[in-house]
Amino acid sequence: MNWAGLEVLLGGVNKYSTVFGRVWLSMVFIFRVLVFVVAAQPVWGDETKDFVCNTAQPGCINVCYDHIFPISHARLWALQLIMVTCPSLLVVAHVKFREQKNQKYTQLHTGEYLYANPGRKRGGLWYTYLISLIFKAAIDGAFLYILYYVNDGYGLPSLSKCSLNPCPNMVDCFISRPTEKRIFIIFMVVTSALCILMCIIEIVYLLCKRCHKLLRKRLDKEHMQSIEGHELHVLSQSRAKYTRVDPTVSSTQSLNKFKKDVAISEMG
């Protein structure tokens, strides 16, 4: 497979990723793809040629190999790397969709646009980015479980025993370079776990940032409402202190009315 082409394709995701997303992408291509292509894949090679059992029974070695290795580690990791990078393409596709939509709108409405920055994580793109992170973490976790379940753990025994048909009896089977392969298995498992951790950290970061933004909007709204309420209260107090003078009555009538109001207030 052309891993360099995949790297170029996913390189555009860096423009729309956070710092954690850039670290994740670097970990995938440096510690996983590069190590897999340069070191891990040649170590496995054609494993059936180096798998030896102490029997000459035809078909016994093939049956035992299939029982001990239901799926090749190298092919499983290749499938995992392809699957785990696919969700990032959702983000690229969403941005391209925004750009095309923006371009069509600009052609119809000269000088106007729908998105000032199509790659900014706002609206639907934020949800697409969050979903891609969840998918990446889930895919890595699923493949770690498959590797553990299929091979009964992350170890690799130097000696395996097999008694399946058509083997005549219990035979001993030997794996070539088990220690070296065990080291690569542990390395790939650890890097996958670190990538899952980076995805979880980025998810928490995005959610906390979103909650902080919503909380800030709510506090600003409450602050504006309190300012408006205070202004209305001051205005109502100033209106209450204002006493209207009837211009149609004489000064004597006004003075008598004032005395009457004072007398009533003293009696009360």
Side-chain angles (χ1 to χ4, degrees):
M1 179 179 177
N2 188 4
W3 296 102
L6 181 63
E7 183 178 5
V8 172
L9 183 62
L10 294 176
V13 182
N14 272 334
K15 296 186 293 183
Y16 321 119
S17 301
T18 64
V19 176
F20 303 104
R22 296 187 183 99
V23 173
W24 179 89
L25 195 62
S26 300
M27 289 178 61
V28 168
F29 280 104
I30 296 175
F31 295 105
R32 296 177 69 177
V33 174
L34 190 61
V35 171
F36 172 74
V37 174
V38 175
Q41 200 171 16
V43 168
W44 262 261
D46 191 359
E47 190 62 24
T48 55
K49 293 181 180 179
D50 301 324
F51 186 78
V52 180
C53 297
N54 58 351
T55 181
Q57 179 69 27
C60 179
I61 296 178
N62 293 333
V63 170
C64 292
Y65 178 81
D66 184 68
H67 174 71
I68 298 172
F69 297 107
I71 184 172
S72 171
H73 288 75
R75 292 180 180 87
L76 183 66
W77 287 332
L79 182 61
Q80 179 182 1
L81 291 172
I82 294 171
M83 294 290 292
V84 82
T85 52
C86 283
S88 297
L89 299 178
L90 293 175
V91 180
V92 178
H94 196 151
V95 174
K96 294 299 181 183
F97 172 76
R98 276 188 169 187
E99 290 176 350
Q100 292 178 359
K101 192 175 180 181
N102 206 22
Q103 185 178 2
K104 291 180 181 179
Y105 186 86
T106 305
Q107 291 174 353
L108 295 175
H109 307 81
T110 306
E112 298 181 3
Y113 48 81
L114 287 174
Y115 306 102
N117 184 6
R120 193 177 183 186
K121 291 186 290 295
R122 294 291 184 274
L125 185 60
W126 186 88
Y127 291 99
T128 302
Y129 192 86
L130 183 67
I131 291 172
S132 71
L133 293 176
I134 295 173
F135 272 122
K136 287 189 288 189
I139 290 170
D140 265 335
F143 273 93
L144 286 179
Y145 174 76
I146 291 172
L147 182 64
Y148 182 87
Y149 178 79
V150 170
N151 297 287
D152 294 328
Y154 299 123
L156 197 63
S158 302
L159 172 65
S160 299
K161 295 184 178 294
C162 178
S163 59
L164 301 174
N165 271 336
C167 299
N169 48 30
M170 183 73 68
V171 297
D172 297 329
C173 298
F174 303 92
I175 304 168
S176 65
R177 296 176 289 185
T179 304
E180 186 178 10
K181 292 175 181 176
R182 195 179 300 120
I183 292 172
F184 277 111
I185 291 174
I186 295 173
F187 180 83
M188 297 298 284
V189 168
V190 170
T191 52
S192 297
L194 289 176
C195 287
I196 294 174
L197 180 62
M198 291 303 302
C199 288
I200 294 174
I201 291 175
E202 191 171 8
I203 291 171
V204 173
Y205 168 76
L206 289 175
L207 292 176
C208 290
K209 190 176 180 180
R210 185 65 176 266
C211 291
H212 179 265
K213 183 180 178 181
L214 294 176
L215 181 62
R216 188 173 180 179
K217 281 186 177 180
R218 182 178 178 182
L219 292 176
D220 290 343
K221 184 178 179 181
E222 291 178 354
H223 181 65
M224 292 298 296
Q225 290 177 350
S226 64
I227 292 176
E228 292 175 358
H230 179 69
E231 290 177 352
L232 291 174
H233 179 68
V234 172
L235 184 62
S236 62
Q237 284 184 339
S238 62
R239 287 181 177 177
K241 292 179 180 179
Y242 174 74
T243 303
R244 181 178 179 274
V245 178
D246 190 354
T248 61
V249 298
S250 64
S251 59
T252 304
Q253 290 175 330
S254 298
L255 180 61
N256 292 334
K257 185 176 183 302
F258 176 74
K259 289 180 178 179
K260 184 177 180 183
D261 292 339
V262 170
I264 292 173
S265 62
E266 289 178 351
M267 291 175 61

